[in-house]
Amino acid sequence: VKQWPGDQIRNFHKKWYFPANATLYIVGELDEGVEGTIKLIEKSFGGVEPGREDPRPPEHSNGGGDAKSDEDCGPVLGPLKKKHEVRPPVEHRMGVDAIPDEGPGSGVAP
């Protein structure tokens, strides 16, 4: 790990680690059920920006050909990032309730 180039690690992190590309796993009993848990997730993370690409250099022009100062341009934001298509959104509903009862001796809990 110590021999990995720092720029390569930073570029990997920048490409893959941002909110829109995150996966949230929930395991265990859901006190509010699946629908209540989805609402809680939406409440907690629904307003989180997906992340942004690097900003483009600002255009310093006011339309009349006069150059503007950096202060006049305000903050420049890059375009929003999009989730990579490598991992499409998938909702797994696993658990005893999701498995049909096959009857006595099946090894499946009712």
Side-chain angles (χ1 to χ4, degrees):
V1 174
K2 289 181 180 182
Q3 294 179 359
W4 292 352
D7 287 343
Q8 188 175 6
I9 294 170
R10 281 186 287 281
N11 288 337
F12 180 88
H13 186 273
K14 185 176 176 180
K15 178 179 180 178
W16 293 99
Y17 288 84
F18 56 93
N21 209 41
T23 302
L24 176 65
Y25 293 94
I26 299 173
V27 179
E29 293 292 325
L30 307 175
D31 293 337
E32 301 297 323
V34 173
E35 297 306 319
T37 302
I38 290 172
K39 287 179 184 177
L40 179 61
I41 292 167
E42 290 171 349
K43 180 180 175 185
S44 300
F45 299 106
V48 175
E49 186 178 85
R52 291 197 176 266
E53 299 289 349
D54 287 337
R56 296 184 186 106
E59 295 182 21
H60 296 292
S61 173
N62 61 10
D66 297 332
K68 288 182 167 184
S69 69
D70 287 341
E71 295 83 30
D72 294 338
C73 292
V76 179
L77 301 175
L80 294 175
K81 288 187 172 186
K82 296 180 182 173
K83 183 175 184 134
H84 294 289
E85 294 182 17
V86 174
R87 297 175 299 146
V90 176
E91 182 178 320
H92 299 283
R93 291 186 182 213
M94 299 179 177
V96 175
D97 295 337
I99 302 171
D101 182 7
E102 299 291 330
S106 67
V108 177

